[in-house]
Amino acid sequence: MPSKLESHIAGALYGQMLGDAMGMPSELWPRARIKAHFGWIDRFLPGPADNIAACYFTAAQYTDDTAMALALADALIECEGDVVPDVIGNHILTWALQSDAFEKNILGPSSKTALFALKQGANINSLENNGITNGAAMRVSPLGCLLPPMPLSDFIDAVALASSPTHKSDIAVAGATVIAWAISQGIAEKSWSEIQAALPAVAQAAQEKRTTTYSPALSARLQLALETVRNAPDDDTALEQIYQLIGTGTEIIQSVPAAIAMVELAHTEPNRCAILCANLGGDTDTIGAMATAICGALHGVESIDSDFKRQLDEVNALDIDAYSSALARLRQRRMAV
């Protein structure tokens, strides 16, 4: 029987995988095309042959979002909870090479450029990595599982280190901080109302710590995203307004606020969240992975639908219990310092 801490961590990791796999078939398609092709997605489906991002995947299989998250988890566990960019970069690059990610259409532009440079022997410190896409945020859930509540400045520094192999921009670090911090607080059994109220200030602190882009304020976009959901009369209107007003693209300034909005729309229920994200349009698998990881962190692994969990286990053959046990041990060590 897992401990309460292990349950929350496993909930975050299964939530990541659930949102990713549920959103995979509709990845990078417009809302209108998703409706025309699928009607309504409420179960695991294989990637359609004509979806150039999803065509490689079978039903219930996770994508690069969770693969990179697991690479980060492996690096954190290997280093006994220390955040070591070179080790993280090596684990992500190893996955990319083993999965032929450079040849397939499964890497985002920032990650692909950075990983190609690492493949050529570049030093992470020498890379600019000023991209504004969501590669760091989509994989950050294990870091949120590892890091207990701590001074925000230290938390941001840890996220920046973990992000640096592929993303160093102010907005990328801010977006990854928002997702990791929400997961960390959920595991610490803080309520969603407390978490979402604090997120704009967390985003602002992270974005302003080291300015590298002219990105809009993530804090303002988060507030707008939450207000959009609260003012919508029904789910379909909320989905349409998130898609049209907040945006659901691969840029951090769109996808992270959209993910936070989806947590709110789903009332933090992970299975509902994964389904809603799959039907949102745009970067559905990444938004689903981020949002559903937060929901799982809040409620624990018991909140994941047993049939969904069984299918995820059968298709992906991961030992999530081993990950949650190791990350719980390392989190407790950090809490004891």
Side-chain angles (χ1 to χ4, degrees):
M1 189 74 180
S3 68
K4 185 176 286 190
L5 176 58
E6 289 171 344
S7 172
H8 283 281
I9 291 174
L13 298 178
Y14 268 110
Q16 161 101 24
M17 189 163 40
L18 170 60
D20 185 4
M22 189 72 70
M24 171 271 292
S26 53
E27 178 184 2
L28 302 184
W29 275 10
R31 271 176 62 73
R33 186 173 184 181
I34 293 170
K35 288 182 177 181
H37 186 93
F38 298 105
W40 180 257
I41 299 171
D42 59 6
R43 63 195 185 281
F44 294 125
L45 298 169
D50 54 347
N51 184 326
I52 61 170
C55 60
Y56 311 101
F57 301 101
T58 60
Q61 186 178 10
Y62 63 75
T63 76
D64 61 313
D65 301 64
T66 302
M68 287 196 191
L70 294 170
L72 173 58
D74 289 336
L76 294 173
I77 293 167
E78 178 183 322
C79 295
E80 282 293 299
D82 291 337
V83 182
V84 184
D86 286 337
V87 178
I88 295 169
N90 286 337
H91 274 276
I92 296 173
L93 179 59
T94 297
W95 160 77
L97 293 172
Q98 290 176 346
S99 59
D100 295 325
F102 289 100
E103 287 72 39
K104 298 175 181 176
N105 189 39
I106 57 175
L107 281 175
S110 301
S111 293
K112 190 170 188 176
T113 299
L115 290 172
F116 184 78
L118 294 180
K119 182 183 176 186
Q120 301 301 113
N123 185 289
I124 289 172
N125 291 331
S126 70
L127 299 177
E128 184 179 6
N129 289 354
N130 201 39
I132 59 174
T133 48
N134 55 25
M138 75 184 192
R139 69 172 186 254
V140 81
S141 59
L143 187 64
C145 294
L146 170 72
L147 297 178
M150 60 173 63
L152 181 56
S153 181
D154 294 341
F155 195 100
I156 296 167
D157 288 344
V159 173
L161 272 180
S163 304
S164 64
T166 58
H167 294 76
K168 295 178 182 175
S169 71
D170 50 4
I171 188 62
V173 171
T177 298
V178 164
I179 300 302
W181 192 87
I183 288 169
S184 175
Q185 296 293 314
I187 290 169
E189 300 189 75
K190 296 292 177 63
S191 70
W192 174 240
S193 61
E194 292 177 274
I195 294 169
Q196 56 86 11
L199 282 178
V202 170
Q204 183 175 356
Q207 191 171 355
E208 293 180 353
K209 189 158 190 179
R210 176 178 166 269
T211 303
T212 71
T213 71
Y214 50 85
S215 172
L218 182 59
S219 58
R221 195 67 67 88
L222 288 169
Q223 290 174 314
L224 181 60
L226 289 165
E227 289 168 6
T228 298
V229 169
R230 291 170 188 151
N231 293 334
D234 53 59
D235 287 354
D236 194 60
T237 302
L239 291 173
E240 185 67 19
Q241 290 182 343
I242 293 166
Y243 180 80
Q244 298 290 358
L245 180 61
I246 306 304
T248 61
T250 60
E251 299 88 350
I252 280 280
I253 196 64
Q254 294 185 29
S255 54
V256 166
I260 297 304
M262 298 307 286
V263 177
E264 180 79 3
L265 182 62
H267 305 295
T268 75
E269 203 283 308
N271 309 294
R272 170 176 158 84
C273 185
I275 290 168
L276 289 171
C277 290
N279 293 279
L280 176 60
D283 202 1
T284 49
D285 62 326
T286 298
I287 293 169
M290 295 187 293
T292 314
I294 294 170
C295 295
L298 284 162
H299 297 294
V301 71
E302 297 81 10
S303 66
I304 306 297
D305 179 271
S306 60
D307 191 48
F308 288 161
K309 183 174 179 293
R310 177 188 58 77
Q311 291 177 76
L312 291 169
D313 287 338
E314 288 176 355
V315 171
N316 299 289
L318 287 177
D319 190 349
I320 294 296
D321 289 344
Y323 280 108
S324 58
S325 176
L327 290 169
R329 175 179 61 82
L330 295 170
R331 184 180 175 107
Q332 288 174 318
R333 178 186 294 178
R334 280 178 168 263
M335 292 168 65
V337 173

